[in-house]
Every structure is written in structure tokens, then in C-alpha cells.
């Protein structure tokens, strides 16, 4: 396996076990970049090797950027890829984000794991055998992390800020429902050229006020956080 992967015109360094960025994830970059201006506040959540962060910096320019992942190996390589253009923190989803980001983030860009647990065995060997399981396993239906992110993102986004999160086309409607139940205005975006799908979920007043679905909030108290899927 090469020590780097091509992504959105950049060479992204990868190390053993760390999720290798896929071309389809550029749909997240494209949709997030449309919402951003220079110096906006951005979180690359479940950042893996930091590919989304690097691509957004390339497309938008300087950003107030934090990348976060629960996998220490991913954090190390993301810090190398991002360099001094942002900060990289280790921890469970939103837990390690700096306090100054609370309520003011413009975009949370995410490639969280969305492979259903039982489907991991059917994945190509290069993913199943060489990428950490925490980077792949999205729980029973693949959307465990989507539920946790929907429950917690409102605390960090500014009003009108957005979560842009990758998902499979088969799961997209269910993901939209997850974010809608938490008070977001959510829609599906698909890029045929890269066969990539994402959900764009915009924070409404209900999200900012913390009046999303209590069931979604309860889901946020359980589950396993993980890097990119």
C-alpha cells in the first residue's frame, strides 16, 4: 500500500490502519465549500487523515479549522497533513473541540462510519483487513454516528450553520429523517461524477434552542464514536 492517496488534487499521507480517503467523499467537500468563506469556522469531524480539511483549505483558503478524531493514529497523520493551517484534536466526537467554537461554527464536515456492522465482512479486503474497524463500523443500520452527531451538533453550530455528512444513497433518506427529528432542515445531495452522496443539514432556530427530538438527544448519550467511513 502506498503511503499517500490522491484526494481532490492533493496528496494525502496515510499510515497503516488509518482510513484511506475515497474519491466519493469529494461530494462533502463540494457542498461544504459552497457554504464557506475565507476565515469561517470549520470542524472536520471524524477526520481520519484530514483529507476533507486539506481539500477545504485548498478550495476556500484560510479557515479557522479544527479537525477531530477518536483514533490516535488518524490524529497523528491528520496533524501532519494539515500542518499549521489548523489544529487537530483527539477525542470522542465533539468532546475535544475548543470551547471558543461552541455556538459559532459555520460548517461541520463529516465522513463518519456508515457501514452497517454486519456488512463489514463483505467489504473489499483492502478496507476490511487494513483499516481500523473504528473507521468503518456504523452500528446496526450504519447510522449510529449520524444520530449522535445530529443530537450534539446544535450546541456547536451558529444559527444557519450546517452539518455536511457523507452517507450511502440507500441510507440517505433515513439520515435526513435523523437530522430532521433533531430540528435541522435537511436535504440530500448527490454527485454522479464521483458517485458520492451526502446530507446537508442546516441548523434552524429549534436546533439552536435545543428543542430537537428528545429521542435523538437520548441516542447521543450512547454508541461508539469513530473516524471516517
Amino acid at each position: 500500500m502506498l503511503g499517500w492517496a490522491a484526494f481532490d488534487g492533493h496528496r494525502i499521507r496515510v499510515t497503516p490502519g488509518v482510513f484511506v480517503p475515497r474519491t466519493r467523499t469529494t461530494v462533502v467537500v463540494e457542498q461544504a465549500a459552497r457554504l464557506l468563506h475565507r476565515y469561517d469556522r470549520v470542524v472536520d469531524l471524524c477526520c481520519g487523515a484530514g483529507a476533507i480539511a486539506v481539500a477545504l483549505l485548498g478550495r476556500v483558503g484560510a479557515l479557522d479549522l479544527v479537525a477531530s478524531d477518536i483514533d490516535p493514529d488518524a490524529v497523528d497523520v491528520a496533524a501532519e497533513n494539515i500542518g499549521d493551517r489548523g489544529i487537530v484534536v483527539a477525542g470522542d466526537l465533539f468532546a475535544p473541540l475548543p470551547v471558543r467554537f461552541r455556538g459559532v461554527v459555520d460548517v461541520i464536515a463529516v465522513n463518519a462510519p456508515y457501514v452497517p456492522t454486519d456488512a463489514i465482512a463483505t467489504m473489499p479486503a483492502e478496507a476490511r483487513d487494513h483499516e481500523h474497524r473504528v473507521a468503518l463500523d456504523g452500528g446496526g443500520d450504519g447510522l449510529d454516528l449520524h444520530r449522535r452527531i445530529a443530537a450534539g451538533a446544535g450546541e456547536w453550530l451558529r444559527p444557519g450553520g450546517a452539518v455536511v455528512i457523507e452517507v450511502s444513497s440507500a441510507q440517505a433518506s433515513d439520515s435526513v429523517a435523523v437530522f430532521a427529528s433533531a430540528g435541522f432542515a435537511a436535504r440530500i445531495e448527490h454527485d454522479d461524477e464521483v458517485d458520492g452522496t451526502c446530507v446537508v443539514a442546516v441548523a434552524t432556530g429549534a436546533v439552536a434552542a435545543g428543542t430537537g427530538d428528545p429521542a435523538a438527544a437520548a441516542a447521543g448519550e450512547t454508541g461508539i464514536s469513530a473516524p471516517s467511513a
Side-chain angles (χ1 to χ4, degrees):
M1 180 181 292
L2 293 175
W4 60 273
F7 183 77
D8 202 43
H10 302 273
R11 285 169 60 101
I12 305 297
R13 176 164 159 71
V14 293
T15 54
V18 174
F19 185 84
V20 177
R22 276 63 155 171
T23 301
R24 63 175 178 263
T25 303
T26 56
V27 68
V28 173
V29 176
E30 177 69 28
Q31 294 299 322
R34 292 181 182 183
L35 302 173
L36 290 169
H37 302 89
R38 285 170 63 88
Y39 309 119
D40 277 355
R41 293 182 178 91
V42 181
V43 174
D44 180 358
L45 196 66
C46 306
C47 68
I52 291 175
V54 171
L56 287 174
L57 288 162
R59 289 194 184 210
V60 181
L63 294 165
D64 190 358
L65 183 144
V66 177
S68 174
D69 204 290
I70 199 170
D71 184 347
D73 292 338
V75 168
D76 287 347
V77 75
E80 183 176 341
N81 285 319
I82 295 168
D84 62 2
R85 297 173 294 172
I87 64 172
V88 184
V89 293
D92 184 15
L93 290 183
F94 303 103
L97 299 185
V99 173
R100 68 181 180 86
F101 263 41
R102 184 170 284 118
V104 298
V105 174
D106 295 286
V107 170
I108 299 171
V110 196
N111 184 14
Y114 56 85
V115 180
T117 301
D118 290 345
I120 292 175
T122 67
M123 293 182 69
E126 59 267 24
R128 184 182 67 244
D129 297 338
H130 298 289
E131 293 173 334
H132 293 163
R133 189 181 180 93
V134 72
L136 304 172
D137 193 343
D141 65 353
L143 297 179
D144 282 3
L145 271 294
H146 286 233
R147 294 185 184 91
R148 294 190 64 202
I149 291 164
E155 179 182 352
W156 297 92
L157 290 168
R158 65 167 175 79
V163 175
V164 182
I165 186 167
E166 184 174 328
V167 70
S168 73
S169 58
Q171 297 164 308
S173 294
D174 289 338
S175 180
V176 163
V178 166
F179 281 92
S181 72
F184 290 84
R187 67 181 188 272
I188 299 167
E189 297 287 349
H190 182 78
D191 186 335
D192 289 331
E193 185 175 346
V194 299
D195 193 26
T197 303
C198 69
V199 169
V200 179
V202 179
T204 64
V207 174
T211 56
D213 184 359
E221 299 301 321
T222 62
I224 300 173
S225 175
S228 319

